[in-house]
Amino acid sequence: MKYAVTGATGNLGSRVVKELAELVDKQDIVAVVHSLSKAEDLKEEGIAVRPGDYSTIDSMVEALKNIDLLIYIPSKTYDVLERVRELENTLKAMEQAHVKELIFVSFFADQEKSPFVMSPYYGYAPRRLAGSGSGVDYAVVKNALYADPLVPYLPELIERQNIIYPIGEAQLSFISLDDSAEAIAKLAVQPDLRNSGQSYLLSQEKNYSMEELGALMSEVTGKPIGYQPVTLAEFAEIYRGDGDGNELASMYHGGALGMLSAVTNDFEEITGHAPMSMKAFLKENFSV
């Protein structure tokens, strides 16, 4: 069985490759990357690296030669149509390269009424795969919000003394990148769990109101962190300099409507154990 992982130098993809290498022979893994210069660490680990550009079908065909299962991690663009084109190009490349199995890595903000700008893409992809024309055996893995960005965010929260997410009384659900990668890798080696259009949501065992999250952060950091939400417009303006203020604001708009709060036991079903709790995650990763 030959496995390919796209986005293999990214935050999630690199972790998936590492976890997969614990489960199968490294010679059976291909890391598909956009930039070969960023893949030296993978090569040193004995992982085969191939260039692959979602925008070019021929490039993806070459990347997927002799592959049985593709773990598809989408690009980070906020252009919905571009993401759709990238998926369609990849499906065409899979067909030409005779790749029959797919794990599609998704996000749980895919509801029909979600105001999140990327919701149309995340809603499109599983419907496209379910269509009779996709020709692949697949599973969809939806991630909750990543817990990891909370750690570098903590100094700002300590300075503000408040979480500012504009979600009001709603709750947010999280999963760590490491836990997500472990579940994806273990799903890859369990065909009975992944070849019939299954859909999984990876989350911790509970979600958090912002008051609860602030109290937990206060306990871990020893600093007072409360909750004082800003408006959606203010939030977009605060993070406009990072290049994704409006997009993040649209996501948290969905959060305020209760669309980022779902939790499941899917992680445990796939891995056989519970995910790391938020308290344990913050304690392990935060240092003064």
Side-chain angles (χ1 to χ4, degrees):
M1 187 80 176
K2 293 285 188 179
Y3 304 84
V5 182
T6 64
T9 57
N11 286 330
L12 179 60
S14 60
R15 288 171 165 85
V16 171
V17 171
K18 180 180 178 180
E19 292 286 343
L20 195 56
E22 297 292 325
L23 303 173
V24 303
D25 194 309
K26 290 181 179 180
Q27 294 183 349
D28 292 329
I29 303 171
V30 172
V32 180
V33 303
H34 190 268
S35 175
L36 289 174
S37 63
K38 296 180 180 180
E40 292 303 320
D41 289 348
L42 291 171
K43 293 178 182 178
E44 291 175 4
E45 291 294 324
I47 303 295
V49 176
R50 298 178 187 173
D53 186 342
Y54 294 138
S55 66
T56 307
I57 296 174
D58 289 345
S59 164
M60 292 302 294
V61 171
E62 288 297 315
L64 298 180
K65 281 186 174 179
N66 301 313
I67 296 299
D68 298 297
L69 169 69
L70 171 62
I71 298 173
Y72 182 78
I73 301 174
S75 70
K76 294 183 177 180
T77 178
Y78 282 111
D79 185 326
V80 171
L81 292 179
E82 182 58 31
R83 284 256 198 123
V84 169
R85 281 191 289 268
E86 290 174 353
L87 175 60
E88 291 296 333
N89 286 346
T90 301
L91 290 175
K92 290 176 183 176
M94 288 179 66
E95 180 179 6
Q96 293 181 33
H98 308 292
V99 181
K100 298 297 185 181
E101 301 175 39
L102 172 71
I103 294 175
F104 178 78
V105 180
S106 188
F107 183 52
F108 71 160
D110 59 353
Q111 302 90 342
E112 290 181 1
K113 292 186 178 181
S114 173
F116 180 39
V117 295
M118 293 309 299
S119 174
Y121 169 75
Y122 288 117
Y124 170 83
R127 291 164 175 80
R128 172 66 174 87
L129 294 173
S132 59
S134 72
V136 297
D137 297 324
Y138 73 94
V140 175
V141 176
K142 302 178 185 181
N143 284 303
L145 293 161
Y146 292 132
D148 301 66
L150 293 176
V151 175
Y153 192 31
L154 277 171
E156 179 180 335
L157 297 182
I158 291 170
E159 182 177 351
R160 291 180 181 275
Q161 297 188 335
N162 283 298
I163 296 170
I164 63 170
Y165 294 139
I167 67 165
E169 302 294 323
Q171 293 83 35
L172 297 179
S173 175
F174 296 89
I175 189 73
S176 72
L177 282 163
D178 283 342
D179 277 350
S180 173
E182 178 190 353
I184 292 167
K186 287 186 174 176
L187 184 63
V189 298
Q190 299 182 80
D192 57 317
L193 295 183
R194 61 164 167 77
N195 276 350
S196 301
Q198 297 96 324
S199 181
Y200 299 99
L201 168 57
L202 303 180
S203 71
Q204 295 174 345
E205 293 184 300
K206 76 176 299 297
N207 55 26
Y208 294 88
S209 70
M210 294 305 91
E211 287 84 0
E212 290 174 323
L213 186 58
L216 185 57
M217 289 176 165
S218 297
E219 178 184 350
V220 170
T221 65
K223 304 292 184 180
I225 299 176
Y227 180 45
Q228 188 63 50
V230 297
T231 66
L232 288 168
E234 289 170 334
F235 189 88
E237 188 59 35
I238 289 170
Y239 296 104
R240 190 175 306 282
D242 295 336
D244 55 3
N246 289 332
E247 292 80 6
L248 288 175
S250 74
M251 184 180 73
Y252 288 117
H253 185 186
L257 298 174
M259 295 179 176
L260 301 178
S261 62
V263 296
T264 73
N265 64 353
D266 290 350
F267 177 89
E268 186 166 0
E269 178 185 350
I270 296 169
T271 66
H273 65 87
M276 181 176 281
S277 69
M278 180 62 81
K279 183 176 180 179
F281 175 79
L282 292 177
K283 280 189 170 182
E284 182 173 297
N285 290 279
F286 176 75
S287 59
V288 180

